[in-house]
Amino acid sequence: MHEECGVFGVYLKDVKANIAQLSYLGLLALQHRGQESAGIAVAGGENILIYRDLGLVTEVFKKDILGTLHGDAAIGHVRYSSAGSNSWEDSQPILHHFSGGSFALAYNGNLVNQSELSSMLAIPYKNSNSCPTDSRLICKLIEATKEKDIEKALEKVAQQLKGAFCLVLLTEKKLIGLRDSYGFHPLVLGKIKDGYVIASEDSAFSIIEAHYLREIQPGEMVVIEKDNFKTKQILPCTKKSLCIFEHVYFARPDSNVFGENVAEIRERIGARLAVEQPADADIVISVPDSGRFAALGYAHQAGITYQEGLMKNPYIGRIFIQPDQALREYSVKIKLSAIASIVTGKKIIMVDDSIVRGTTSRKLVKLLKKSGAKEVHVRISSPPVDFPCKYGIDTPNKKELWTNHFSIEALRKLIEADSLGYISLEGLTGVFQKNKPSDFCTACFSGEYPL
Ligand code: AMP
Protein backbone atom coordinates (compact mmCIF):
# COMPACT_ATOMS: atom_id res chain seq x y z
CA MET A 1 0.00 0.00 0.00
CA HIS A 2 1.40 3.37 -0.99
CA GLU A 3 1.35 6.22 1.47
CA GLU A 4 2.11 9.25 -0.63
CA CYS A 5 1.39 12.00 1.84
CA GLY A 6 2.12 15.35 3.39
CA VAL A 7 3.38 15.76 6.95
CA PHE A 8 3.58 18.79 9.20
CA GLY A 9 4.86 19.54 12.70
CA VAL A 10 5.09 22.63 14.88
CA TYR A 11 6.48 23.39 18.35
CA LEU A 12 6.07 26.75 20.07
CA LYS A 13 7.97 27.58 23.22
CA ASP A 14 5.54 30.16 24.47
CA VAL A 15 2.08 29.33 23.29
CA LYS A 16 0.40 32.49 22.18
CA ALA A 17 -0.96 31.10 18.94
CA ASN A 18 -3.55 28.42 18.42
CA ILE A 19 -1.42 25.41 17.57
CA ALA A 20 -4.28 23.55 15.88
CA GLN A 21 -5.04 26.58 13.73
CA LEU A 22 -1.39 26.75 12.61
CA SER A 23 -1.42 23.06 11.77
CA TYR A 24 -4.68 23.46 9.88
CA LEU A 25 -3.17 26.24 7.77
CA GLY A 26 -0.01 24.22 7.20
CA LEU A 27 -2.06 21.23 6.05
CA LEU A 28 -4.09 23.44 3.70
CA ALA A 29 -0.84 24.36 1.95
CA LEU A 30 0.05 20.65 1.71
CA GLN A 31 -3.38 19.57 0.48
CA HIS A 32 -1.98 18.71 -2.98
CA ARG A 33 0.04 15.91 -1.30
CA GLY A 34 -3.10 14.11 -0.18
CA GLN A 35 -6.84 14.58 -0.45
CA GLU A 36 -8.11 11.37 1.06
CA SER A 37 -7.83 12.06 4.76
CA ALA A 38 -6.51 14.70 7.14
CA GLY A 39 -5.59 14.76 10.81
CA ILE A 40 -3.97 16.77 13.58
CA ALA A 41 -2.46 15.60 16.88
CA VAL A 42 -1.70 18.08 19.66
CA ALA A 43 0.38 17.65 22.79
CA GLY A 44 0.30 19.90 25.78
CA GLY A 45 2.73 18.30 28.21
CA GLU A 46 0.19 15.95 29.79
CA ASN A 47 -1.47 14.08 27.00
CA ILE A 48 -1.90 13.76 23.23
CA LEU A 49 -5.17 14.47 21.47
CA ILE A 50 -5.85 13.46 17.88
CA TYR A 51 -8.60 14.37 15.46
CA ARG A 52 -8.61 12.79 12.01
CA ASP A 53 -11.11 11.81 9.36
CA LEU A 54 -11.61 11.05 5.70
CA GLY A 55 -11.88 14.10 3.44
CA LEU A 56 -10.16 17.36 2.58
CA VAL A 57 -8.65 19.52 5.33
CA THR A 58 -11.57 21.97 5.15
CA GLU A 59 -14.09 19.13 5.35
CA VAL A 60 -12.45 17.41 8.31
CA PHE A 61 -11.73 20.47 10.48
CA LYS A 62 -14.69 22.62 11.30
CA LYS A 63 -14.29 25.62 13.58
CA ASP A 64 -15.64 23.89 16.67
CA ILE A 65 -13.12 21.07 16.34
CA LEU A 66 -10.02 23.24 15.99
CA GLY A 67 -11.09 25.11 19.12
CA THR A 68 -10.88 21.93 21.19
CA LEU A 69 -7.31 21.02 20.21
CA HIS A 70 -4.92 22.80 22.57
CA GLY A 71 -1.23 22.31 23.23
CA ASP A 72 2.22 23.68 22.55
CA ALA A 73 3.19 21.17 19.88
CA ALA A 74 1.31 19.48 17.06
CA ILE A 75 1.72 17.26 14.03
CA GLY A 76 -0.54 16.95 11.01
CA HIS A 77 -1.06 14.70 8.05
CA VAL A 78 -2.78 14.61 4.68
CA ARG A 79 -3.07 11.26 2.97
CA TYR A 80 -3.14 10.27 -0.68
CA SER A 81 -3.14 6.53 -0.97
CA SER A 82 -3.48 4.29 -3.96
CA ALA A 83 -7.00 3.25 -4.94
CA GLY A 84 -8.90 0.95 -2.66
CA SER A 85 -7.46 1.80 0.76
CA ASN A 86 -9.84 4.51 1.70
CA SER A 87 -10.61 3.74 5.32
CA TRP A 88 -10.70 5.81 8.51
CA GLU A 89 -8.29 3.36 10.18
CA ASP A 90 -5.59 4.30 7.68
CA SER A 91 -5.93 8.04 8.28
CA GLN A 92 -3.20 9.69 10.36
CA PRO A 93 -1.70 10.79 12.75
CA ILE A 94 -2.00 7.54 14.67
CA LEU A 95 -1.65 7.16 18.41
CA HIS A 96 0.45 4.37 19.88
CA HIS A 97 1.83 3.35 23.26
CA PHE A 98 5.37 2.31 24.07
CA SER A 99 7.41 1.70 27.22
CA GLY A 100 7.95 5.44 27.69
CA GLY A 101 4.32 6.56 27.26
CA SER A 102 2.36 7.56 24.15
CA PHE A 103 3.22 9.08 20.83
CA ALA A 104 1.50 10.18 17.64
CA LEU A 105 3.01 9.48 14.24
CA ALA A 106 2.50 10.97 10.78
CA TYR A 107 4.33 9.35 7.92
CA ASN A 108 5.08 9.83 4.21
CA GLY A 109 6.79 7.13 2.19
CA ASN A 110 6.82 3.51 1.25
CA LEU A 111 8.84 0.74 2.86
CA VAL A 112 10.18 -2.08 0.72
CA ASN A 113 10.75 -4.58 3.53
CA GLN A 114 7.23 -4.71 5.01
CA SER A 115 7.03 -8.50 4.87
CA GLU A 116 10.37 -8.87 6.66
CA LEU A 117 9.29 -6.36 9.33
CA SER A 118 5.89 -8.03 9.70
CA SER A 119 7.47 -11.39 10.31
CA MET A 120 9.87 -9.87 12.85
CA LEU A 121 6.77 -8.68 14.69
CA ALA A 122 4.94 -11.96 14.05
CA ILE A 123 2.15 -10.19 12.15
CA PRO A 124 0.69 -12.14 9.20
CA TYR A 125 1.63 -10.08 6.14
CA LYS A 126 0.00 -11.98 3.27
CA ASN A 127 -3.53 -11.67 4.60
CA SER A 128 -4.42 -8.27 3.16
CA ASN A 129 -7.20 -7.60 5.69
CA SER A 130 -4.82 -7.68 8.60
CA CYS A 131 -1.82 -6.33 6.69
CA PRO A 132 -0.65 -3.26 8.60
CA THR A 133 0.22 -0.02 6.86
CA ASP A 134 3.84 1.12 6.98
CA SER A 135 2.98 3.63 9.69
CA ARG A 136 1.40 0.95 11.92
CA LEU A 137 4.45 -1.24 11.39
CA ILE A 138 6.72 1.60 12.49
CA CYS A 139 4.59 2.14 15.61
CA LYS A 140 4.73 -1.55 16.50
CA LEU A 141 8.49 -1.63 15.91
CA ILE A 142 8.93 1.32 18.29
CA GLU A 143 6.90 -0.52 20.92
CA ALA A 144 8.90 -3.72 20.33
CA THR A 145 12.21 -2.01 21.18
CA LYS A 146 10.96 -1.83 24.81
CA GLU A 147 12.95 1.41 25.07
CA LYS A 148 11.61 4.07 27.42
CA ASP A 149 13.41 6.83 25.54
CA ILE A 150 11.64 7.64 22.26
CA GLU A 151 14.82 8.93 20.62
CA LYS A 152 16.68 5.69 21.32
CA ALA A 153 13.67 3.66 20.18
CA LEU A 154 13.42 5.59 16.93
CA GLU A 155 17.16 5.30 16.30
CA LYS A 156 16.90 1.51 16.64
CA VAL A 157 13.81 1.31 14.42
CA ALA A 158 15.32 3.56 11.73
CA GLN A 159 18.08 0.96 11.22
CA GLN A 160 15.42 -1.66 10.46
CA LEU A 161 13.44 0.30 7.89
CA LYS A 162 14.25 -0.07 4.21
CA GLY A 163 12.67 2.30 1.73
CA ALA A 164 11.35 5.83 1.70
CA PHE A 165 10.22 7.41 4.95
CA CYS A 166 9.74 10.94 6.17
CA LEU A 167 8.07 11.10 9.51
CA VAL A 168 7.06 13.46 12.26
CA LEU A 169 6.48 12.06 15.72
CA LEU A 170 4.97 13.76 18.73
CA THR A 171 5.25 12.76 22.37
CA GLU A 172 3.83 14.70 25.31
CA LYS A 173 7.06 16.73 25.36
CA LYS A 174 8.91 16.33 22.06
CA LEU A 175 8.47 16.91 18.36
CA ILE A 176 10.73 14.70 16.22
CA GLY A 177 11.38 14.76 12.47
CA LEU A 178 13.18 11.97 10.64
CA ARG A 179 14.13 11.45 6.98
CA ASP A 180 15.42 8.21 5.46
CA SER A 181 19.08 8.00 4.49
CA TYR A 182 18.37 8.18 0.73
CA GLY A 183 16.30 11.35 1.10
CA PHE A 184 13.67 10.10 -1.35
CA HIS A 185 11.04 12.62 -0.36
CA PRO A 186 11.49 16.14 1.00
CA LEU A 187 11.30 17.17 4.65
CA VAL A 188 12.16 20.73 5.61
CA LEU A 189 12.76 22.71 8.76
CA GLY A 190 11.54 26.24 9.43
CA LYS A 191 11.50 28.83 12.19
CA ILE A 192 8.33 30.31 13.60
CA LYS A 193 8.30 32.95 16.35
CA ASP A 194 9.97 31.22 19.30
CA GLY A 195 9.60 27.75 17.86
CA TYR A 196 10.17 25.45 14.90
CA VAL A 197 8.17 23.93 12.10
CA ILE A 198 8.72 20.80 10.04
CA ALA A 199 6.91 20.05 6.79
CA SER A 200 7.04 18.00 3.63
CA GLU A 201 7.28 21.27 1.70
CA ASP A 202 7.99 24.86 2.68
CA SER A 203 4.77 25.99 0.97
CA ALA A 204 3.39 25.20 4.45
CA PHE A 205 5.67 27.83 6.04
CA SER A 206 4.77 31.12 4.40
CA ILE A 207 1.05 30.68 5.16
CA ILE A 208 1.86 30.70 8.90
CA GLU A 209 4.60 33.31 8.65
CA ALA A 210 7.33 30.84 9.36
CA HIS A 211 10.52 30.96 7.34
CA TYR A 212 12.56 28.27 5.69
CA LEU A 213 15.74 27.26 7.52
CA ARG A 214 16.98 24.19 5.66
CA GLU A 215 16.24 20.65 4.53
CA ILE A 216 16.31 17.92 7.14
CA GLN A 217 19.20 15.92 5.71
CA PRO A 218 18.90 12.32 4.54
CA GLY A 219 19.39 10.16 7.64
CA GLU A 220 18.99 13.10 10.05
CA MET A 221 16.73 13.17 13.10
CA VAL A 222 15.79 16.51 14.65
CA VAL A 223 14.35 16.67 18.15
CA ILE A 224 12.55 19.78 19.34
CA GLU A 225 11.71 20.32 23.00
CA LYS A 226 10.64 23.35 25.01
CA ASP A 227 14.18 24.54 25.74
CA ASN A 228 16.20 22.42 23.42
CA PHE A 229 16.83 21.79 19.73
CA LYS A 230 18.91 18.74 18.88
CA THR A 231 19.97 17.20 15.62
CA LYS A 232 21.65 13.87 15.01
CA GLN A 233 22.73 11.99 11.90
CA ILE A 234 21.29 8.60 12.88
CA LEU A 235 21.71 6.88 9.51
CA PRO A 236 24.69 7.33 7.20
CA CYS A 237 23.81 8.82 3.82
CA THR A 238 25.96 6.88 1.40
CA LYS A 239 23.84 7.57 -1.66
CA LYS A 240 21.19 10.23 -2.23
CA SER A 241 18.11 9.10 -4.19
CA LEU A 242 15.97 12.20 -4.44
CA CYS A 243 12.60 11.53 -6.06
CA ILE A 244 12.68 13.42 -9.36
CA PHE A 245 8.90 13.05 -9.71
CA GLU A 246 8.50 15.51 -6.80
CA HIS A 247 9.89 18.17 -9.13
CA VAL A 248 8.13 16.89 -12.26
CA TYR A 249 4.64 16.60 -10.80
CA PHE A 250 4.03 16.12 -7.13
CA ALA A 251 5.33 19.17 -5.24
CA ARG A 252 3.80 22.64 -5.26
CA PRO A 253 5.45 25.17 -7.62
CA ASP A 254 6.15 27.65 -4.81
CA SER A 255 8.02 25.05 -2.75
CA ASN A 256 11.78 24.61 -2.60
CA VAL A 257 12.41 20.92 -2.96
CA PHE A 258 15.92 19.48 -2.51
CA GLY A 259 17.18 23.05 -2.40
CA GLU A 260 15.64 24.26 -5.68
CA ASN A 261 12.39 26.04 -6.49
CA VAL A 262 9.89 23.75 -8.19
CA ALA A 263 8.42 26.37 -10.58
CA GLU A 264 11.88 27.39 -11.80
CA ILE A 265 12.91 23.79 -12.33
CA ARG A 266 9.72 23.08 -14.28
CA GLU A 267 10.39 26.12 -16.50
CA ARG A 268 13.91 24.86 -17.16
CA ILE A 269 12.57 21.40 -17.97
CA GLY A 270 10.11 23.01 -20.42
CA ALA A 271 12.89 25.01 -22.07
CA ARG A 272 15.00 21.89 -22.45
CA LEU A 273 11.97 20.03 -23.87
CA ALA A 274 11.60 22.78 -26.50
CA VAL A 275 15.21 22.26 -27.59
CA GLU A 276 14.88 18.47 -27.71
CA GLN A 277 11.37 18.26 -29.15
CA PRO A 278 10.59 21.32 -31.29
CA ALA A 279 7.33 21.67 -33.24
CA ASP A 280 5.89 24.16 -35.65
CA ALA A 281 2.90 25.77 -33.92
CA ASP A 282 0.93 28.98 -33.35
CA ILE A 283 0.54 28.68 -29.59
CA VAL A 284 1.78 26.68 -26.60
CA ILE A 285 -0.81 25.64 -24.03
CA SER A 286 -0.50 23.65 -20.82
CA VAL A 287 -2.49 20.92 -19.19
CA PRO A 288 -3.40 22.84 -16.03
CA ASP A 289 -2.14 22.93 -13.42
CA SER A 290 0.78 20.52 -13.39
CA GLY A 291 1.98 21.30 -16.94
CA ARG A 292 1.84 25.10 -16.62
CA PHE A 293 5.41 26.02 -15.71
CA ALA A 294 6.94 23.55 -18.16
CA ALA A 295 4.68 25.00 -20.89
CA LEU A 296 5.81 28.53 -20.02
CA GLY A 297 9.45 27.44 -20.23
CA TYR A 298 8.78 25.71 -23.54
CA ALA A 299 7.02 28.76 -25.04
CA HIS A 300 9.73 31.15 -23.89
CA GLN A 301 12.52 29.00 -25.31
CA ALA A 302 10.70 28.34 -28.59
CA GLY A 303 9.60 31.96 -29.02
CA ILE A 304 5.96 30.88 -29.40
CA THR A 305 3.08 32.62 -27.59
CA TYR A 306 1.82 30.91 -24.43
CA GLN A 307 -1.95 30.89 -24.00
CA GLU A 308 -4.38 29.24 -21.63
CA GLY A 309 -6.30 26.94 -23.96
CA LEU A 310 -7.73 24.62 -21.35
CA MET A 311 -9.86 25.55 -18.42
CA LYS A 312 -9.70 23.55 -15.22
CA ASN A 313 -12.55 23.22 -12.79
CA PRO A 314 -10.66 23.72 -9.53
CA TYR A 315 -13.29 22.02 -7.38
CA ILE A 316 -12.66 18.49 -8.65
CA GLY A 317 -10.01 16.36 -6.93
CA ARG A 318 -7.10 14.75 -8.70
CA ILE A 319 -8.22 12.15 -11.20
CA PHE A 320 -5.99 9.43 -9.79
CA ILE A 321 -8.26 9.32 -6.80
CA GLN A 322 -10.98 7.78 -8.93
CA PRO A 323 -10.68 4.06 -8.40
CA ASP A 324 -11.36 2.56 -11.80
CA GLN A 325 -10.68 3.38 -15.43
CA ALA A 326 -14.32 4.10 -16.33
CA LEU A 327 -14.59 6.83 -13.69
CA ARG A 328 -11.17 8.18 -14.59
CA GLU A 329 -12.21 8.66 -18.24
CA TYR A 330 -15.29 10.55 -17.14
CA SER A 331 -13.44 12.74 -14.67
CA VAL A 332 -11.01 14.11 -17.29
CA LYS A 333 -14.01 15.63 -19.03
CA ILE A 334 -15.53 17.18 -15.95
CA LYS A 335 -12.17 18.49 -14.88
CA LEU A 336 -10.93 20.14 -18.06
CA SER A 337 -12.63 21.95 -20.92
CA ALA A 338 -11.24 23.69 -24.00
CA ILE A 339 -11.52 27.42 -24.65
CA ALA A 340 -12.74 27.25 -28.26
CA SER A 341 -12.09 30.90 -29.14
CA ILE A 342 -8.42 30.44 -28.27
CA VAL A 343 -7.78 27.05 -29.88
CA THR A 344 -9.94 27.22 -33.03
CA GLY A 345 -7.92 27.12 -36.22
CA LYS A 346 -4.60 26.95 -34.35
CA LYS A 347 -1.63 24.63 -34.48
CA ILE A 348 -1.12 23.83 -30.81
CA ILE A 349 1.69 22.49 -28.67
CA MET A 350 0.12 20.99 -25.52
CA VAL A 351 2.56 20.45 -22.64
CA ASP A 352 1.84 18.03 -19.79
CA ASP A 353 4.14 16.74 -17.07
CA SER A 354 3.64 13.03 -17.62
CA ILE A 355 1.68 10.29 -19.32
CA VAL A 356 0.79 7.43 -17.01
CA ARG A 357 -2.21 5.51 -18.31
CA GLY A 358 -2.70 7.79 -21.32
CA THR A 359 -6.23 8.82 -20.37
CA THR A 360 -5.57 12.55 -20.00
CA SER A 361 -3.66 13.06 -23.26
CA ARG A 362 -6.09 10.99 -25.31
CA LYS A 363 -9.12 12.83 -24.00
CA LEU A 364 -7.53 16.26 -24.32
CA VAL A 365 -6.33 15.85 -27.89
CA LYS A 366 -9.85 14.78 -28.82
CA LEU A 367 -11.35 17.71 -26.91
CA LEU A 368 -9.01 20.27 -28.52
CA LYS A 369 -9.70 18.94 -32.01
CA LYS A 370 -13.44 18.91 -31.39
CA SER A 371 -13.11 22.51 -30.26
CA GLY A 372 -11.50 23.50 -33.57
CA ALA A 373 -7.74 23.00 -33.10
CA LYS A 374 -6.00 22.39 -36.46
CA GLU A 375 -3.08 20.37 -35.08
CA VAL A 376 -2.17 19.15 -31.60
CA HIS A 377 1.47 18.37 -30.78
CA VAL A 378 1.81 16.73 -27.38
CA ARG A 379 5.01 17.43 -25.43
CA ILE A 380 5.75 15.71 -22.13
CA SER A 381 8.12 17.19 -19.55
CA SER A 382 9.23 13.80 -18.25
CA PRO A 383 10.50 10.66 -20.01
CA PRO A 384 8.05 7.75 -20.48
CA VAL A 385 6.94 6.33 -17.10
CA ASP A 386 7.87 2.70 -17.78
CA PHE A 387 8.26 1.35 -14.25
CA PRO A 388 6.13 1.47 -11.09
CA CYS A 389 7.43 3.50 -8.15
CA LYS A 390 8.32 1.49 -5.05
CA TYR A 391 9.04 4.50 -2.88
CA GLY A 392 5.78 6.28 -2.37
CA ILE A 393 4.53 7.80 -5.64
CA ASP A 394 1.23 6.31 -6.71
CA THR A 395 1.95 4.73 -10.09
CA PRO A 396 0.01 1.79 -11.44
CA ASN A 397 1.57 -1.63 -11.97
CA LYS A 398 3.70 -2.36 -15.02
CA LYS A 399 0.78 -3.77 -17.00
CA GLU A 400 -1.19 -0.53 -16.73
CA LEU A 401 1.76 1.68 -17.67
CA TRP A 402 0.94 2.00 -21.32
CA THR A 403 4.38 3.11 -22.57
CA ASN A 404 5.49 -0.46 -21.90
CA HIS A 405 3.17 -1.79 -24.54
CA PHE A 406 3.69 0.58 -27.46
CA SER A 407 6.33 2.48 -29.41
CA ILE A 408 6.19 6.30 -29.26
CA GLU A 409 4.69 6.32 -32.76
CA ALA A 410 2.02 3.82 -31.72
CA LEU A 411 1.27 5.96 -28.66
CA ARG A 412 0.98 9.04 -30.86
CA LYS A 413 -1.58 7.25 -32.99
CA LEU A 414 -3.49 6.09 -29.93
CA ILE A 415 -3.85 9.60 -28.55
CA GLU A 416 -4.51 10.88 -32.09
CA ALA A 417 -1.90 13.62 -31.76
CA ASP A 418 -0.08 15.13 -34.74
CA SER A 419 3.19 14.50 -32.93
CA LEU A 420 4.32 13.26 -29.53
CA GLY A 421 7.64 14.05 -27.88
CA TYR A 422 9.10 13.36 -24.45
CA ILE A 423 12.10 15.00 -22.78
CA SER A 424 15.11 12.67 -22.44
CA LEU A 425 16.24 11.44 -19.03
CA GLU A 426 19.60 13.23 -19.47
CA GLY A 427 17.74 16.40 -20.39
CA LEU A 428 15.57 16.16 -17.30
CA THR A 429 18.30 15.41 -14.77
CA GLY A 430 20.55 18.02 -16.37
CA VAL A 431 18.41 21.04 -15.42
CA PHE A 432 19.27 20.96 -11.69
CA GLN A 433 22.02 23.14 -10.27
CA LYS A 434 22.21 22.00 -6.65
CA ASN A 435 22.15 18.26 -7.26
CA LYS A 436 23.98 15.99 -9.70
CA PRO A 437 22.00 13.70 -12.06
CA SER A 438 23.20 10.72 -10.00
CA ASP A 439 21.62 12.22 -6.84
CA PHE A 440 18.13 11.46 -8.16
CA CYS A 441 15.93 8.40 -8.03
CA THR A 442 14.72 7.99 -11.62
CA ALA A 443 13.46 4.42 -11.22
CA CYS A 444 10.04 5.19 -12.73
CA PHE A 445 11.78 6.15 -15.99
CA SER A 446 14.90 4.00 -15.98
CA GLY A 447 13.94 0.92 -13.94
CA GLU A 448 17.10 1.41 -11.88
CA TYR A 449 15.79 0.96 -8.35
CA PRO A 450 18.22 2.25 -5.72
CA LEU A 451 16.88 -0.28 -3.18
P1 AMP B 1 -2.83 9.50 -17.34
O1 AMP B 1 -4.06 10.23 -17.71
O2 AMP B 1 -3.10 8.20 -16.66
O3 AMP B 1 -1.84 9.34 -18.47
O4 AMP B 1 -2.10 10.35 -16.21
C1 AMP B 1 -1.38 11.49 -16.55
C2 AMP B 1 -1.90 12.68 -15.82
O5 AMP B 1 -1.98 12.40 -14.42
C3 AMP B 1 -0.98 13.86 -16.00
O6 AMP B 1 -1.76 14.96 -16.39
C4 AMP B 1 -0.32 14.06 -14.66
O7 AMP B 1 -0.33 15.45 -14.31
C5 AMP B 1 -1.13 13.26 -13.67
N1 AMP B 1 -0.29 12.40 -12.83
C6 AMP B 1 0.92 11.89 -13.07
N2 AMP B 1 1.37 11.14 -12.03
C7 AMP B 1 0.42 11.17 -11.09
C8 AMP B 1 0.30 10.61 -9.78
N3 AMP B 1 1.24 9.86 -9.22
N4 AMP B 1 -0.84 10.87 -9.12
C9 AMP B 1 -1.82 11.61 -9.67
N5 AMP B 1 -1.76 12.16 -10.88
C10 AMP B 1 -0.66 11.95 -11.60
Side-chain angles (χ1 to χ4, degrees), residues 1-272:
M1 187 189 294
H2 295 275
E3 294 194 59
E4 184 176 275
C5 306
V7 297
F8 178 83
V10 55
Y11 201 125
L12 292 177
K13 205 167 148 186
D14 238 340
V15 190
K16 293 205 182 69
N18 180 329
I19 206 97
Q21 196 86 35
L22 290 177
S23 309
Y24 171 81
L25 292 172
L27 290 183
L28 274 182
L30 296 174
Q31 185 77 82
H32 61 287
R33 296 187 73 88
Q35 296 105 44
E36 192 175 278
S37 68
I40 294 173
V42 293
E46 302 282 291
N47 50 27
I48 298 172
L49 210 59
I50 299 183
Y51 190 87
R52 56 179 221 239
D53 208 347
L54 298 178
L56 299 172
V57 177
T58 48
E59 292 165 349
V60 172
F61 293 100
K62 306 288 182 215
K63 197 167 134 227
D64 50 339
I65 291 160
L66 286 176
T68 63
L69 298 170
H70 303 290
D72 35 33
I75 60 170
H77 190 263
V78 284
R79 181 156 194 269
Y80 179 171
S81 78
S82 50
S85 57
N86 193 5
S87 73
W88 183 88
E89 282 71 25
D90 293 336
S91 63
Q92 295 187 36
I94 44 179
L95 184 71
H96 204 81
H97 303 285
F98 76 121
S99 304
S102 307
F103 65 87
L105 178 88
Y107 160 91
N108 169 38
N110 198 52
L111 300 176
V112 295
N113 63 336
Q114 294 104 331
S115 63
E116 191 189 308
L117 297 172
S118 299
S119 59
M120 270 171 57
L121 292 163
I123 300 170
Y125 180 67
K126 293 246 161 61
N127 173 354
S128 63
N129 288 331
S130 60
C131 171
T133 56
D134 287 357
S135 32
R136 293 228 174 258
L137 271 178
I138 294 171
C139 288
K140 285 178 195 288
L141 287 167
I142 290 174
E143 181 191 342
T145 63
K146 305 239 170 11
E147 280 285 354
K148 284 208 162 71
D149 179 340
I150 191 69
E151 292 171 50
K152 284 192 188 140
L154 203 51
E155 256 188 71
K156 277 191 187 162
V157 170
Q159 321 289 330
Q160 299 168 328
L161 307 178
K162 287 204 182 89
F165 53 94
C166 279
L167 52 92
V168 286
L169 187 148
L170 184 72
T171 66
E172 283 90 349
K173 301 218 161 64
K174 291 179 189 181
L175 168 66
I176 302 180
L178 171 65
R179 188 169 172 211
D180 67 73
S181 66
Y182 291 82
F184 282 103
H185 296 290
L187 193 65
V188 288
L189 181 70
K191 187 87 187 84
I192 178 169
K193 296 178 191 153
D194 58 350
Y196 291 94
V197 252
I198 298 173
S200 295
E201 294 177 35
D202 61 330
S203 54
F205 292 170
S206 52
I207 190 171
I208 53 170
E209 300 201 339
H211 67 266
Y212 177 87
L213 286 178
R214 63 175 179 86
E215 279 192 275
I216 294 180
Q217 294 304 313
E220 183 186 2
M221 176 167 86
V222 299
V223 182
I224 303 158
E225 291 170 274
K226 205 159 188 83
D227 293 307
N228 201 7
F229 175 90
K230 273 191 294 186
T231 162
K232 190 171 177 190
Q233 190 72 32
I234 62 166
L235 298 166
C237 173
T238 47
K239 182 179 177 350
K240 279 203 239 172
S241 292
L242 314 172
C243 169
I244 203 157
F245 215 70
E246 289 273 355
H247 267 288
V248 166
Y249 168 76
F250 202 46
R252 233 171 83 145
D254 57 340
S255 290
N256 293 289
V257 170
F258 315 135
E260 297 192 68
N261 173 255
V262 174
E264 266 179 50
I265 290 293
R266 287 186 189 161
E267 283 201 17
R268 272 189 239 150
I269 299 171
R272 173 74 202 192

Side-chain angles (χ1 to χ4, degrees), residues 80-83 249 317-323 328 331 335 356-357 394-396:
Y80 179 171
S81 78
S82 50
Y249 168 76
R318 282 183 172 183
I319 55 163
F320 253 47
I321 286 163
Q322 309 295 346
R328 215 174 274 124
S331 67
K335 198 172 165 186
V356 181
R357 293 179 173 89
D394 181 22
T395 35

Side-chain angles (χ1 to χ4, degrees), residues 80 245 249 290 320 352-360 393-394:
Y80 179 171
F245 215 70
Y249 168 76
S290 52
F320 253 47
D352 199 4
D353 63 276
S354 56
I355 295 183
V356 181
R357 293 179 173 89
T359 319
T360 310
I393 296 284
D394 181 22

